[in-house]
mmCIF file of all heavy atoms in Angstrom:
data_model
loop_
_atom_site.group_PDB
_atom_site.id
_atom_site.type_symbol
_atom_site.label_atom_id
_atom_site.label_comp_id
_atom_site.label_asym_id
_atom_site.label_seq_id
_atom_site.Cartn_x
_atom_site.Cartn_y
_atom_site.Cartn_z
ATOM 1 N N MET A 1 62.516 110.933 121.683
ATOM 2 C CA MET A 1 62.066 109.615 121.416
ATOM 3 C C MET A 1 62.157 108.675 122.641
ATOM 4 O O MET A 1 61.832 107.488 122.560
ATOM 5 C CB MET A 1 62.877 109.002 120.305
ATOM 6 C CG MET A 1 62.798 109.793 118.960
ATOM 7 S SD MET A 1 63.995 109.276 117.733
ATOM 8 C CE MET A 1 63.485 107.570 117.400
ATOM 9 N N GLY A 2 62.625 109.185 123.745
ATOM 10 C CA GLY A 2 62.767 108.373 124.949
ATOM 11 C C GLY A 2 63.942 107.426 124.812
ATOM 12 O O GLY A 2 63.956 106.363 125.473
ATOM 13 N N ILE A 3 64.936 107.785 123.966
ATOM 14 C CA ILE A 3 66.180 106.930 123.784
ATOM 15 C C ILE A 3 67.342 107.815 124.180
ATOM 16 O O ILE A 3 67.528 108.900 123.649
ATOM 17 C CB ILE A 3 66.276 106.518 122.328
ATOM 18 C CG1 ILE A 3 65.100 105.639 121.868
ATOM 19 C CG2 ILE A 3 67.595 105.737 122.139
ATOM 20 C CD1 ILE A 3 65.045 105.367 120.409
ATOM 21 N N TYR A 4 68.103 107.305 125.207
ATOM 22 C CA TYR A 4 69.187 108.123 125.761
ATOM 23 C C TYR A 4 70.476 107.345 125.818
ATOM 24 O O TYR A 4 70.481 106.148 126.127
ATOM 25 C CB TYR A 4 68.872 108.599 127.153
ATOM 26 C CG TYR A 4 67.449 109.075 127.395
ATOM 27 C CD1 TYR A 4 66.505 108.397 128.154
ATOM 28 C CD2 TYR A 4 67.019 110.281 126.857
ATOM 29 C CE1 TYR A 4 65.278 108.812 128.377
ATOM 30 C CE2 TYR A 4 65.767 110.783 127.091
ATOM 31 C CZ TYR A 4 64.870 110.029 127.834
ATOM 32 O OH TYR A 4 63.593 110.494 128.038
ATOM 33 N N ILE A 5 71.586 107.964 125.529
ATOM 34 C CA ILE A 5 72.908 107.444 125.837
ATOM 35 C C ILE A 5 73.508 108.319 126.963
ATOM 36 O O ILE A 5 73.651 109.550 126.728
ATOM 37 C CB ILE A 5 73.853 107.340 124.618
ATOM 38 C CG1 ILE A 5 73.335 106.321 123.657
ATOM 39 C CG2 ILE A 5 75.259 107.007 125.074
ATOM 40 C CD1 ILE A 5 74.178 106.194 122.382
ATOM 41 N N PHE A 6 73.892 107.730 128.079
ATOM 42 C CA PHE A 6 74.577 108.426 129.192
ATOM 43 C C PHE A 6 76.020 107.927 129.269
ATOM 44 O O PHE A 6 76.237 106.711 129.164
ATOM 45 C CB PHE A 6 73.874 108.130 130.509
ATOM 46 C CG PHE A 6 72.586 108.839 130.754
ATOM 47 C CD1 PHE A 6 71.340 108.360 130.258
ATOM 48 C CD2 PHE A 6 72.544 110.038 131.517
ATOM 49 C CE1 PHE A 6 70.186 109.048 130.460
ATOM 50 C CE2 PHE A 6 71.362 110.701 131.747
ATOM 51 C CZ PHE A 6 70.176 110.207 131.243
ATOM 52 N N SER A 7 76.910 108.806 129.508
ATOM 53 C CA SER A 7 78.219 108.391 130.022
ATOM 54 C C SER A 7 77.993 107.841 131.399
ATOM 55 O O SER A 7 77.287 108.486 132.235
ATOM 56 C CB SER A 7 79.161 109.539 130.007
ATOM 57 O OG SER A 7 79.406 109.957 128.646
ATOM 58 N N TRP A 8 78.516 106.664 131.703
ATOM 59 C CA TRP A 8 78.177 105.984 132.939
ATOM 60 C C TRP A 8 78.330 106.751 134.238
ATOM 61 O O TRP A 8 77.424 106.811 135.062
ATOM 62 C CB TRP A 8 78.878 104.601 132.933
ATOM 63 C CG TRP A 8 78.882 103.897 134.233
ATOM 64 C CD1 TRP A 8 79.933 103.422 134.949
ATOM 65 C CD2 TRP A 8 77.723 103.422 135.035
ATOM 66 N NE1 TRP A 8 79.555 102.790 136.084
ATOM 67 C CE2 TRP A 8 78.189 102.781 136.144
ATOM 68 C CE3 TRP A 8 76.327 103.625 134.835
ATOM 69 C CZ2 TRP A 8 77.313 102.279 137.085
ATOM 70 C CZ3 TRP A 8 75.492 103.118 135.777
ATOM 71 C CH2 TRP A 8 75.945 102.388 136.908
ATOM 72 N N PRO A 9 79.426 107.468 134.445
ATOM 73 C CA PRO A 9 79.603 108.179 135.676
ATOM 74 C C PRO A 9 78.505 109.242 135.846
ATOM 75 O O PRO A 9 78.032 109.493 136.984
ATOM 76 C CB PRO A 9 80.993 108.850 135.586
ATOM 77 C CG PRO A 9 81.708 108.026 134.574
ATOM 78 C CD PRO A 9 80.698 107.514 133.582
ATOM 79 N N VAL A 10 78.087 109.895 134.760
ATOM 80 C CA VAL A 10 77.068 110.918 134.801
ATOM 81 C C VAL A 10 75.736 110.268 135.241
ATOM 82 O O VAL A 10 74.999 110.853 136.053
ATOM 83 C CB VAL A 10 76.966 111.661 133.452
ATOM 84 C CG1 VAL A 10 75.749 112.620 133.445
ATOM 85 C CG2 VAL A 10 78.270 112.368 133.150
ATOM 86 N N LEU A 11 75.403 109.192 134.599
ATOM 87 C CA LEU A 11 74.128 108.501 134.898
ATOM 88 C C LEU A 11 74.090 108.087 136.401
ATOM 89 O O LEU A 11 73.120 108.292 137.128
ATOM 90 C CB LEU A 11 73.899 107.328 133.997
ATOM 91 C CG LEU A 11 72.632 106.448 134.300
ATOM 92 C CD1 LEU A 11 71.332 107.286 134.160
ATOM 93 C CD2 LEU A 11 72.591 105.204 133.388
ATOM 94 N N ARG A 12 75.148 107.395 136.834
ATOM 95 C CA ARG A 12 75.205 106.916 138.180
ATOM 96 C C ARG A 12 75.125 108.008 139.202
ATOM 97 O O ARG A 12 74.311 107.904 140.131
ATOM 98 C CB ARG A 12 76.580 106.155 138.378
ATOM 99 C CG ARG A 12 76.709 105.484 139.783
ATOM 100 C CD ARG A 12 78.117 104.810 139.860
ATOM 101 N NE ARG A 12 79.117 105.748 139.575
ATOM 102 C CZ ARG A 12 80.315 105.432 139.013
ATOM 103 N NH1 ARG A 12 80.562 104.194 138.709
ATOM 104 N NH2 ARG A 12 81.230 106.350 138.778
ATOM 105 N N ASP A 13 75.809 109.076 139.006
ATOM 106 C CA ASP A 13 75.791 110.180 139.967
ATOM 107 C C ASP A 13 74.406 110.811 140.012
ATOM 108 O O ASP A 13 73.910 111.176 141.064
ATOM 109 C CB ASP A 13 76.850 111.246 139.610
ATOM 110 C CG ASP A 13 78.267 110.711 139.763
ATOM 111 O OD1 ASP A 13 78.435 109.609 140.313
ATOM 112 O OD2 ASP A 13 79.253 111.412 139.292
ATOM 113 N N ALA A 14 73.775 110.996 138.852
ATOM 114 C CA ALA A 14 72.460 111.632 138.775
ATOM 115 C C ALA A 14 71.389 110.727 139.485
ATOM 116 O O ALA A 14 70.517 111.243 140.243
ATOM 117 C CB ALA A 14 72.056 111.892 137.342
ATOM 118 N N LEU A 15 71.467 109.443 139.250
ATOM 119 C CA LEU A 15 70.517 108.501 139.914
ATOM 120 C C LEU A 15 70.637 108.531 141.442
ATOM 121 O O LEU A 15 69.665 108.529 142.147
ATOM 122 C CB LEU A 15 70.728 107.081 139.364
ATOM 123 C CG LEU A 15 70.322 106.837 137.906
ATOM 124 C CD1 LEU A 15 70.746 105.431 137.465
ATOM 125 C CD2 LEU A 15 68.795 107.000 137.678
ATOM 126 N N ILE A 16 71.882 108.534 141.876
ATOM 127 C CA ILE A 16 72.114 108.528 143.340
ATOM 128 C C ILE A 16 71.683 109.850 143.953
ATOM 129 O O ILE A 16 71.038 109.887 145.021
ATOM 130 C CB ILE A 16 73.642 108.211 143.649
ATOM 131 C CG1 ILE A 16 73.922 106.754 143.246
ATOM 132 C CG2 ILE A 16 73.943 108.444 145.109
ATOM 133 C CD1 ILE A 16 75.406 106.414 143.268
ATOM 134 N N ALA A 17 71.979 110.943 143.243
ATOM 135 C CA ALA A 17 71.599 112.257 143.758
ATOM 136 C C ALA A 17 70.100 112.472 143.861
ATOM 137 O O ALA A 17 69.549 113.123 144.791
ATOM 138 C CB ALA A 17 72.200 113.356 142.885
ATOM 139 N N LYS A 18 69.330 111.894 142.949
ATOM 140 C CA LYS A 18 67.879 112.107 142.917
ATOM 141 C C LYS A 18 67.052 110.871 143.385
ATOM 142 O O LYS A 18 65.897 110.791 143.161
ATOM 143 C CB LYS A 18 67.492 112.415 141.406
ATOM 144 C CG LYS A 18 68.161 113.660 140.855
ATOM 145 C CD LYS A 18 67.756 114.946 141.547
ATOM 146 C CE LYS A 18 66.313 115.346 141.234
ATOM 147 N NZ LYS A 18 65.940 116.606 141.863
ATOM 148 N N LYS A 19 67.762 109.911 144.011
ATOM 149 C CA LYS A 19 67.134 108.656 144.319
ATOM 150 C C LYS A 19 65.879 108.767 145.237
ATOM 151 O O LYS A 19 64.959 107.909 145.137
ATOM 152 C CB LYS A 19 68.100 107.697 145.007
ATOM 153 C CG LYS A 19 68.640 108.166 146.365
ATOM 154 C CD LYS A 19 69.666 107.138 146.892
ATOM 155 C CE LYS A 19 70.325 107.549 148.158
ATOM 156 N NZ LYS A 19 69.681 108.032 149.189
ATOM 157 N N ASP A 20 65.785 109.845 145.993
ATOM 158 C CA ASP A 20 64.629 109.961 146.944
ATOM 159 C C ASP A 20 63.414 110.676 146.290
ATOM 160 O O ASP A 20 62.407 110.930 146.869
ATOM 161 C CB ASP A 20 65.032 110.733 148.206
ATOM 162 C CG ASP A 20 66.048 109.901 148.982
ATOM 163 O OD1 ASP A 20 65.943 108.641 148.993
ATOM 164 O OD2 ASP A 20 66.953 110.492 149.613
ATOM 165 N N GLN A 21 63.646 111.111 145.021
ATOM 166 C CA GLN A 21 62.580 111.814 144.308
ATOM 167 C C GLN A 21 61.396 110.875 143.997
ATOM 168 O O GLN A 21 61.582 109.749 143.484
ATOM 169 C CB GLN A 21 63.141 112.377 142.995
ATOM 170 C CG GLN A 21 62.068 112.952 142.016
ATOM 171 C CD GLN A 21 61.489 114.255 142.511
ATOM 172 O OE1 GLN A 21 62.208 115.151 142.900
ATOM 173 N NE2 GLN A 21 60.176 114.321 142.589
ATOM 174 N N SER A 22 60.190 111.221 144.351
ATOM 175 C CA SER A 22 59.025 110.425 144.160
ATOM 176 C C SER A 22 58.770 110.276 142.612
ATOM 177 O O SER A 22 58.816 111.276 141.887
ATOM 178 C CB SER A 22 57.836 111.023 144.803
ATOM 179 O OG SER A 22 56.670 110.313 144.507
ATOM 180 N N GLY A 23 58.566 109.038 142.145
ATOM 181 C CA GLY A 23 58.313 108.794 140.771
ATOM 182 C C GLY A 23 59.429 109.272 139.834
ATOM 183 O O GLY A 23 59.161 109.857 138.775
ATOM 184 N N LEU A 24 60.670 108.916 140.228
ATOM 185 C CA LEU A 24 61.814 109.429 139.528
ATOM 186 C C LEU A 24 61.767 109.083 138.049
ATOM 187 O O LEU A 24 61.676 107.894 137.624
ATOM 188 C CB LEU A 24 63.074 108.839 140.182
ATOM 189 C CG LEU A 24 64.469 109.296 139.643
ATOM 190 C CD1 LEU A 24 64.617 110.797 139.866
ATOM 191 C CD2 LEU A 24 65.557 108.513 140.350
ATOM 192 N N ASP A 25 61.837 110.130 137.193
ATOM 193 C CA ASP A 25 61.631 110.034 135.782
ATOM 194 C C ASP A 25 62.775 110.713 135.030
ATOM 195 O O ASP A 25 63.295 111.725 135.463
ATOM 196 C CB ASP A 25 60.296 110.607 135.431
ATOM 197 C CG ASP A 25 59.977 110.611 133.917
ATOM 198 O OD1 ASP A 25 59.489 109.514 133.461
ATOM 199 O OD2 ASP A 25 60.262 111.544 133.233
ATOM 200 N N PHE A 26 63.152 110.143 133.867
ATOM 201 C CA PHE A 26 64.206 110.744 133.103
ATOM 202 C C PHE A 26 63.859 112.178 132.585
ATOM 203 O O PHE A 26 64.601 113.102 132.794
ATOM 204 C CB PHE A 26 64.640 109.854 131.911
ATOM 205 C CG PHE A 26 65.509 108.747 132.355
ATOM 206 C CD1 PHE A 26 65.053 107.473 132.504
ATOM 207 C CD2 PHE A 26 66.859 108.996 132.618
ATOM 208 C CE1 PHE A 26 65.868 106.402 132.906
ATOM 209 C CE2 PHE A 26 67.711 107.915 132.996
ATOM 210 C CZ PHE A 26 67.239 106.666 133.140
ATOM 211 N N GLY A 27 62.750 112.234 131.915
ATOM 212 C CA GLY A 27 62.338 113.529 131.298
ATOM 213 C C GLY A 27 62.085 114.607 132.318
ATOM 214 O O GLY A 27 62.405 115.811 132.163
ATOM 215 N N MET A 28 61.480 114.224 133.438
ATOM 216 C CA MET A 28 61.079 115.217 134.440
ATOM 217 C C MET A 28 62.149 115.597 135.404
ATOM 218 O O MET A 28 62.214 116.722 135.945
ATOM 219 C CB MET A 28 59.855 114.666 135.216
ATOM 220 C CG MET A 28 58.623 114.424 134.415
ATOM 221 S SD MET A 28 57.789 115.935 133.922
ATOM 222 C CE MET A 28 57.167 116.454 135.488
ATOM 223 N N HIS A 29 63.079 114.588 135.723
ATOM 224 C CA HIS A 29 63.979 114.837 136.821
ATOM 225 C C HIS A 29 65.463 114.662 136.436
ATOM 226 O O HIS A 29 66.270 115.553 136.696
ATOM 227 C CB HIS A 29 63.675 113.845 138.007
ATOM 228 C CG HIS A 29 62.254 113.938 138.457
ATOM 229 N ND1 HIS A 29 61.410 112.869 138.311
ATOM 230 C CD2 HIS A 29 61.554 114.946 139.003
ATOM 231 C CE1 HIS A 29 60.192 113.228 138.791
ATOM 232 N NE2 HIS A 29 60.305 114.513 139.174
ATOM 233 N N ILE A 30 65.855 113.551 135.856
ATOM 234 C CA ILE A 30 67.269 113.280 135.597
ATOM 235 C C ILE A 30 67.866 114.256 134.543
ATOM 236 O O ILE A 30 68.935 114.788 134.750
ATOM 237 C CB ILE A 30 67.474 111.774 135.130
ATOM 238 C CG1 ILE A 30 67.066 110.851 136.267
ATOM 239 C CG2 ILE A 30 68.943 111.545 134.731
ATOM 240 C CD1 ILE A 30 67.893 111.007 137.559
ATOM 241 N N LEU A 31 67.190 114.440 133.409
ATOM 242 C CA LEU A 31 67.715 115.248 132.342
ATOM 243 C C LEU A 31 67.860 116.736 132.801
ATOM 244 O O LEU A 31 68.932 117.310 132.605
ATOM 245 C CB LEU A 31 66.874 115.170 131.073
ATOM 246 C CG LEU A 31 66.910 113.772 130.423
ATOM 247 C CD1 LEU A 31 65.966 113.780 129.216
ATOM 248 C CD2 LEU A 31 68.306 113.328 130.042
ATOM 249 N N PRO A 32 66.816 117.321 133.452
ATOM 250 C CA PRO A 32 66.997 118.658 133.983
ATOM 251 C C PRO A 32 68.054 118.734 134.980
ATOM 252 O O PRO A 32 68.859 119.761 134.991
ATOM 253 C CB PRO A 32 65.588 118.985 134.609
ATOM 254 C CG PRO A 32 64.635 118.097 133.880
ATOM 255 C CD PRO A 32 65.391 116.856 133.592
ATOM 256 N N TYR A 33 68.234 117.764 135.838
ATOM 257 C CA TYR A 33 69.328 117.754 136.873
ATOM 258 C C TYR A 33 70.707 117.791 136.180
ATOM 259 O O TYR A 33 71.585 118.544 136.546
ATOM 260 C CB TYR A 33 69.255 116.520 137.737
ATOM 261 C CG TYR A 33 70.398 116.327 138.671
ATOM 262 C CD1 TYR A 33 70.405 116.982 139.904
ATOM 263 C CD2 TYR A 33 71.455 115.471 138.335
ATOM 264 C CE1 TYR A 33 71.534 116.808 140.753
ATOM 265 C CE2 TYR A 33 72.525 115.318 139.199
ATOM 266 C CZ TYR A 33 72.547 116.005 140.414
ATOM 267 O OH TYR A 33 73.652 115.864 141.251
ATOM 268 N N CYS A 34 70.859 116.990 135.065
ATOM 269 C CA CYS A 34 72.114 117.012 134.367
ATOM 270 C C CYS A 34 72.412 118.333 133.741
ATOM 271 O O CYS A 34 73.543 118.879 133.756
ATOM 272 C CB CYS A 34 72.153 115.877 133.331
ATOM 273 S SG CYS A 34 72.177 114.192 134.055
ATOM 274 N N ARG A 35 71.402 118.918 133.127
ATOM 275 C CA ARG A 35 71.539 120.211 132.465
ATOM 276 C C ARG A 35 71.881 121.320 133.478
ATOM 277 O O ARG A 35 72.775 122.129 133.248
ATOM 278 C CB ARG A 35 70.289 120.580 131.651
ATOM 279 C CG ARG A 35 70.452 121.897 130.896
ATOM 280 C CD ARG A 35 69.267 122.090 129.922
ATOM 281 N NE ARG A 35 69.334 123.408 129.370
ATOM 282 C CZ ARG A 35 68.720 124.460 129.865
ATOM 283 N NH1 ARG A 35 67.883 124.301 130.902
ATOM 284 N NH2 ARG A 35 68.824 125.646 129.312
ATOM 285 N N GLU A 36 71.147 121.297 134.548
ATOM 286 C CA GLU A 36 71.389 122.320 135.597
ATOM 287 C C GLU A 36 72.784 122.187 136.215
ATOM 288 O O GLU A 36 73.397 123.109 136.690
ATOM 289 C CB GLU A 36 70.306 122.254 136.679
ATOM 290 C CG GLU A 36 68.947 122.757 136.193
ATOM 291 C CD GLU A 36 67.767 122.229 137.035
ATOM 292 O OE1 GLU A 36 68.083 121.639 138.102
ATOM 293 O OE2 GLU A 36 66.630 122.384 136.621
ATOM 294 N N GLY A 37 73.320 120.905 136.183
ATOM 295 C CA GLY A 37 74.637 120.687 136.723
ATOM 296 C C GLY A 37 75.769 120.947 135.717
ATOM 297 O O GLY A 37 76.971 120.632 136.033
ATOM 298 N N GLY A 38 75.446 121.559 134.605
ATOM 299 C CA GLY A 38 76.423 121.951 133.631
ATOM 300 C C GLY A 38 76.950 120.808 132.766
ATOM 301 O O GLY A 38 77.995 120.975 132.082
ATOM 302 N N LYS A 39 76.205 119.687 132.654
ATOM 303 C CA LYS A 39 76.669 118.601 131.771
ATOM 304 C C LYS A 39 76.381 118.950 130.335
ATOM 305 O O LYS A 39 75.501 119.804 130.000
ATOM 306 C CB LYS A 39 75.940 117.306 132.184
ATOM 307 C CG LYS A 39 76.132 116.843 133.622
ATOM 308 C CD LYS A 39 77.611 116.690 133.959
ATOM 309 C CE LYS A 39 77.753 116.179 135.414
ATOM 310 N NZ LYS A 39 79.205 116.147 135.802
ATOM 311 N N ARG A 40 77.119 118.275 129.461
ATOM 312 C CA ARG A 40 76.932 118.459 128.012
ATOM 313 C C ARG A 40 75.837 117.586 127.483
ATOM 314 O O ARG A 40 75.998 116.346 127.523
ATOM 315 C CB ARG A 40 78.259 118.234 127.285
ATOM 316 C CG ARG A 40 79.348 119.264 127.528
ATOM 317 C CD ARG A 40 80.671 118.896 126.916
ATOM 318 N NE ARG A 40 80.662 118.776 125.508
ATOM 319 C CZ ARG A 40 80.768 119.743 124.606
ATOM 320 N NH1 ARG A 40 80.862 121.000 125.056
ATOM 321 N NH2 ARG A 40 80.734 119.548 123.303
ATOM 322 N N LEU A 41 74.783 118.173 127.057
ATOM 323 C CA LEU A 41 73.590 117.414 126.500
ATOM 324 C C LEU A 41 73.452 117.755 125.004
ATOM 325 O O LEU A 41 73.416 118.919 124.665
ATOM 326 C CB LEU A 41 72.296 117.761 127.267
ATOM 327 C CG LEU A 41 72.063 117.025 128.651
ATOM 328 C CD1 LEU A 41 73.006 117.554 129.633
ATOM 329 C CD2 LEU A 41 70.605 117.266 129.076
ATOM 330 N N PHE A 42 73.353 116.717 124.198
ATOM 331 C CA PHE A 42 73.196 116.853 122.786
ATOM 332 C C PHE A 42 71.991 116.091 122.262
ATOM 333 O O PHE A 42 71.596 115.074 122.818
ATOM 334 C CB PHE A 42 74.448 116.421 122.062
ATOM 335 C CG PHE A 42 75.579 117.394 122.069
ATOM 336 C CD1 PHE A 42 76.322 117.547 123.225
ATOM 337 C CD2 PHE A 42 75.807 118.247 121.005
ATOM 338 C CE1 PHE A 42 77.366 118.507 123.277
ATOM 339 C CE2 PHE A 42 76.820 119.183 121.023
ATOM 340 C CZ PHE A 42 77.601 119.339 122.126
ATOM 341 N N ALA A 43 71.424 116.656 121.175
ATOM 342 C CA ALA A 43 70.283 116.005 120.505
ATOM 343 C C ALA A 43 70.752 115.306 119.235
ATOM 344 O O ALA A 43 71.405 115.911 118.396
ATOM 345 C CB ALA A 43 69.217 117.048 120.114
ATOM 346 N N TYR A 44 70.477 114.023 119.107
ATOM 347 C CA TYR A 44 70.788 113.221 117.973
ATOM 348 C C TYR A 44 69.549 113.052 117.071
ATOM 349 O O TYR A 44 68.582 112.394 117.531
ATOM 350 C CB TYR A 44 71.324 111.837 118.442
ATOM 351 C CG TYR A 44 71.508 110.871 117.290
ATOM 352 C CD1 TYR A 44 72.567 110.968 116.366
ATOM 353 C CD2 TYR A 44 70.635 109.778 117.137
ATOM 354 C CE1 TYR A 44 72.748 110.081 115.331
ATOM 355 C CE2 TYR A 44 70.765 108.852 116.097
ATOM 356 C CZ TYR A 44 71.844 108.998 115.218
ATOM 357 O OH TYR A 44 71.990 108.109 114.196
ATOM 358 N N GLU A 45 69.544 113.657 115.925
ATOM 359 C CA GLU A 45 68.324 113.649 115.128
ATOM 360 C C GLU A 45 68.218 112.363 114.309
ATOM 361 O O GLU A 45 69.127 111.982 113.565
ATOM 362 C CB GLU A 45 68.388 114.878 114.205
ATOM 363 C CG GLU A 45 67.023 115.083 113.463
ATOM 364 C CD GLU A 45 66.920 116.418 112.735
ATOM 365 O OE1 GLU A 45 67.475 117.405 113.218
ATOM 366 O OE2 GLU A 45 66.308 116.417 111.603
#
């Protein structure tokens, strides 16, 4: 739904790590980065 809750340290670190990515997008870049980094991602139905 394009609605996300991030724990603040996780969001901040991901944004800084990917800041040079062209057209930085949550669905395309930030969420995959968090998952590949071993973060806990859950779906709220």
Side-chain angles (χ1 to χ4, degrees):
M1 298 169 66
I3 300 169
Y4 316 110
I5 292 179
F6 284 84
S7 295
W8 168 233
V10 173
L11 176 62
R12 181 181 57 210
D13 293 350
L15 290 172
I16 292 171
K18 301 295 289 184
K19 64 181 174 47
D20 296 325
Q21 172 70 52
S22 175
L24 185 60
D25 180 82
F26 279 102
M28 296 289 288
H29 306 115
I30 297 297
L31 296 177
Y33 173 82
C34 291
R35 183 169 171 267
E36 289 159 11
K39 303 301 181 187
R40 291 174 62 81
L41 278 71
F42 280 78
Y44 170 75
E45 189 170 325

